[in-house]
Amino acid sequence: MKFRVLPTALLTAALLLTGCSAGGETTAATNAKAPTLEKGTLKIGSQQSYIPGEFRADGSGPLQGFGVELVEEVARRLGLTPQWVQSDYSAIITGLQSGQFDLGSGGMSPNPERLQQVDMIGYFQSGATYLVRKADAAKYATGESMCGQKLGMLEGSTTLEKAVAALNEKCSSPIQIEYYTSTPLGLQGLLSERIAAYAPDVAQAQYIVKENPDQFATTNYHLVDYLINFTLVKDKNSELRNQIYATLEAMMRDGTYTKILDKWNLKTGGLTKPAYNGDLDAKP
């Protein structure tokens, strides 16, 4: 079976990406305003399969998505050229800590363990839901309906793991977790009936269903609600962190942020100001 998000034949090629630019679509100003690992360049670690935030159509096209457009506009305003570096979701924090990139992106949510290692700038209110095969559209409408079944999720999804652990306290037969290194692989697991459902970001689930209405369905049930964030190494580059926060805040005020969300048909989840370390009322 095939689906439009990332055909099977291109999965291997997509996973072999080691890091590249989004195609030079953003021209940076000549005077970089923020300190980065490489002068004049903002290196962004991203799984590049976070649909519709940061992904490649058919697995090989230019990097696109609402997260890409937000980051590239921030970079432009800071006088930096964006350079996207492919990273597994579970390796984004370690990649930041080892100096592979300046900024982590791709749908990461805050939790106490992560906040000990990184500072987070929240840019979208989202959560996780159940994505199921179209034939099972009405089958998993509650959290407990997944009891005794296999649920797929990305490696490193500690927030989702805790939510599943809480659900399992109500289950006579526990929910079993199957881990994937990318969402396209999770969708393959779902279509092959290896798992009963996959737990993507809400915005991601809506986009996948919109693009593949004959194959997938989602539910109104939220496994957990959370902010999605850009991440930076904690207390290491406060100047860059503060400038990214302030620039994103300015984009929210001047309407640029809303225009980007509208382009991607994201009608809910937009913020009026960035969050800091999971707190909508906090600033760096």
Side-chain angles (χ1 to χ4, degrees), residues 22-51:
E25 295 140 347
T26 299
T27 301
T30 55
N31 296 320
K33 302 175 184 177
T36 53
L37 292 168
E38 183 179 316
K39 187 175 180 180
T41 299
L42 181 68
K43 293 186 176 181
I44 311 110
S46 166
Q47 57 178 300
Q48 300 185 10
S49 59
Y50 168 43
I51 305 160

Side-chain angles (χ1 to χ4, degrees), residues 44-47 50 54 66-67 70-71 89 92-93 96 103-111 114-115 118-126 159 201 225-232 244-245 248 271 273-280:
I44 311 110
S46 166
Q47 57 178 300
Y50 168 43
E54 298 150 18
F66 78 96
L70 289 173
V71 170
Y89 181 80
I92 288 176
I93 289 179
L96 282 167
L103 184 72
S105 189
M108 189 166 288
S109 62
N111 61 42
R114 288 175 181 159
L115 291 174
V118 294
D119 284 328
M120 292 190 160
I121 299 174
Y123 64 93
F124 193 75
Q125 180 69 61
S126 193
T159 300
D201 183 86
D225 292 310
Y226 51 71
L227 287 160
I228 55 177
N229 300 261
F230 302 128
T231 55
L232 299 100
I244 289 174
Y245 181 99
L248 184 58
L271 304 179
K273 60 182 179 180
Y276 180 59
N277 286 341
D279 188 343
L280 287 167

Side-chain angles (χ1 to χ4, degrees), residues 10 15 44 65 67 85 111 120 125 130 134 203 207 246 272 278:
L10 294 171
L15 291 174
I44 311 110
V85 182
N111 61 42
M120 292 190 160
Q125 180 69 61
Y130 292 155
K134 181 67 177 286
Y207 185 87
T272 57

Side-chain angles (χ1 to χ4, degrees), residues 115-119 232-237 276-277:
L115 291 174
Q116 290 178 2
Q117 304 175 78
V118 294
D119 284 328
L232 299 100
V233 176
K234 194 168 190 67
D235 300 326
K236 188 172 182 180
N237 192 344
Y276 180 59
N277 286 341

